[in-house]
Amino acid sequence: MNIDRYRVKPNSKVKLADWDPGDDSQFDGDKKDAPKALEKLTDRLEELQELLYAESKHKLLIVLQAMDTGGKDGVIRHVFDGVNPQGVKVAAFKAPTPIELSHDYLWRIHQHTPARGEIVIFNRSHYEDVLVVRVHNLVPEDVWRKRYDQINAFEEMLAEEGVTILKFYLHISKDEQKERLQERLDDPAKHWKFSSGDLAERKRWPDYMAAYEEMLERTSTKHAPWFVVPANRKWYRNLVISHTVIGALEELKMQFPAAEPGLDKIVIE
Ligand code: AMP
Ligand code: MG
């Protein structure tokens, strides 16, 4: 899989209309081979997570952003299936509480960044502060505009402190969202996921796309790249993300810590 094609090059122009949400070109098999392929990848991820934890040197932060129904929950469920729950944390960011709002917007984020040996997944993130906040004018433009640079500086600091950062925008089409919202209406087991607020956001699709485009253009950096993941096909989305996470962990060249000396002489009675 050549996933580099999904990485947004720093300072490049992004037109999401040119990124096909239905692309599945980097997988050699077809859909029916996907579960087996993903299983192999999740086994490998399990090993790498154990190594990360054992070595306790590096930290991994995964940021997931998407339109409603984009598949953030599905990625967490499927890509991290089988990984030891002790080593992975999920932080979900909803609309800020009054206390959170009384602080700067990174305050609630920073306390969830990973410690040594940890993987943390952000289900939404500080990027909401240049997305929903921008689309709904929750703060004036001169305030949110400064945030791209602020976020880059924040992430650069994290990277210099040993955090590997991977950011995924799950790219679905507006038609695909329609189908997924309809499923939530049709299937009683999915009713709890349906929120009529999602329909109001859907009406602002073009505003969101503009906000996502600028976010991708301005905050995809060497130390914290964005990937635009084709996400209309769930199986392909999972493969791309799994592959990317594994590749990043393999690059860390991790090693199990040295054993205590003399282990070979120990006799357990
Ligand atoms: P969900 O992820 O579907 O549970 O929805 C969480 C909601 O919280 C979404 O509508 C987000 O747009 C909203 N949200 C997350 N972060 C912020 C933020 N910083 N400001 C305003 N709304 C936010
Ligand atoms: Mg929702």
Side-chain angles (χ1 to χ4, degrees):
M1 258 189 166
N2 174 15
I3 37 140
D4 202 53
R5 62 190 288 134
Y6 303 130
R7 190 170 57 83
V8 178
K9 312 297 173 276
N11 303 312
S12 61
K13 194 95 193 108
V14 177
K15 265 194 74 199
L16 283 170
D18 297 340
W19 296 68
D20 177 9
D23 179 26
D24 63 0
S25 61
Q26 299 305 305
F27 183 58
D28 291 335
D30 59 38
K31 185 180 168 177
K32 72 171 181 357
D33 306 320
K36 266 235 132 52
L38 187 63
E39 204 182 306
K40 263 177 95 176
L41 290 171
T42 52
D43 287 350
R44 179 67 185 136
L45 188 57
E46 199 182 333
E47 290 170 2
L48 286 163
Q49 184 275 326
E50 178 160 286
L51 192 50
L52 182 87
Y53 184 79
E55 195 191 43
S56 201
K57 181 172 165 193
H58 301 282
K59 314 156 185 179
L60 177 62
L61 175 61
I62 294 169
V63 173
L64 300 177
Q65 283 290 157
M67 294 296 285
D68 292 309
T69 76
K72 298 186 272 43
D73 298 306
V75 167
I76 294 168
R77 206 153 3 101
H78 297 292
V79 173
F80 296 89
D81 184 27
V83 173
N84 181 351
Q86 290 213 82
V88 182
K89 291 181 181 160
V90 178
F93 297 97
K94 309 271 179 188
T97 63
I99 291 175
E100 288 170 342
L101 273 178
S102 72
H103 288 268
D104 67 88
Y105 67 102
L106 292 174
W107 178 78
R108 66 171 181 161
I109 305 294
H110 201 166
Q111 52 196 306
H112 292 286
T113 55
R116 284 184 216 287
E118 271 182 4
I119 299 177
V120 173
I121 306 165
F122 280 1
N123 183 340
R124 303 187 190 269
S125 66
H126 42 304
Y127 286 99
E128 292 291 333
D129 292 284
V130 291
L131 293 166
V132 64
V133 167
R134 167 182 172 154
V135 169
H136 288 276
N137 300 306
L138 299 181
V139 301
E141 176 164 358
D142 64 327
V143 173
W144 62 253
R145 278 227 162 264
K146 293 198 181 84
R147 292 182 173 171
Y148 301 108
D149 290 340
Q150 292 165 352
I151 288 171
N152 287 339
F154 171 64
E155 292 178 352
E156 190 174 2
M157 180 278 291
L158 293 177
E160 285 171 357
E161 290 284 323
V163 185
T164 296
I165 306 172
L166 299 172
K167 302 182 294 197
F168 298 102
Y169 164 59
L170 313 181
H171 184 38
I172 56 165
S173 63
K174 198 175 175 200
D175 284 345
E176 180 66 25
Q177 189 194 52
K178 184 178 180 184
E179 276 182 35
R180 294 185 187 183
L181 286 171
Q182 189 63 49
E183 274 167 36
R184 290 182 180 184
L185 283 177
D186 295 344
D187 180 353
K190 288 188 178 166
H191 284 173
W192 68 275
K193 275 194 161 189
F194 187 84
S195 147
S196 34
D198 293 352
L199 299 182
E201 298 312 300
R202 178 173 167 79
K203 288 212 174 84
R204 297 171 184 262
W205 189 275
D207 294 344
Y208 272 105
M209 289 304 107
Y212 269 108
E213 283 172 346
E214 188 160 5
M215 173 198 85
L216 293 165
E217 286 170 2
R218 300 209 44 194
T219 63
S220 193
T221 56
K222 193 170 168 292
H223 55 267
W226 273 109
F227 296 85
V228 175
V229 181
N232 275 9
R233 296 185 166 89
K234 295 173 181 172
W235 61 269
Y236 188 70
R237 165 202 82 193
N238 293 340
L239 288 176
V240 168
I241 294 179
S242 188
H243 203 88
T244 310
V245 172
I246 288 169
L249 287 172
E250 284 179 339
E251 263 181 41
L252 296 176
K253 309 271 178 263
M254 297 182 287
Q255 306 254 305
F256 282 110
E260 273 178 49
L263 284 191
D264 52 337
K265 313 234 161 28
I266 293 179
V267 178
I268 300 176
E269 296 180 5

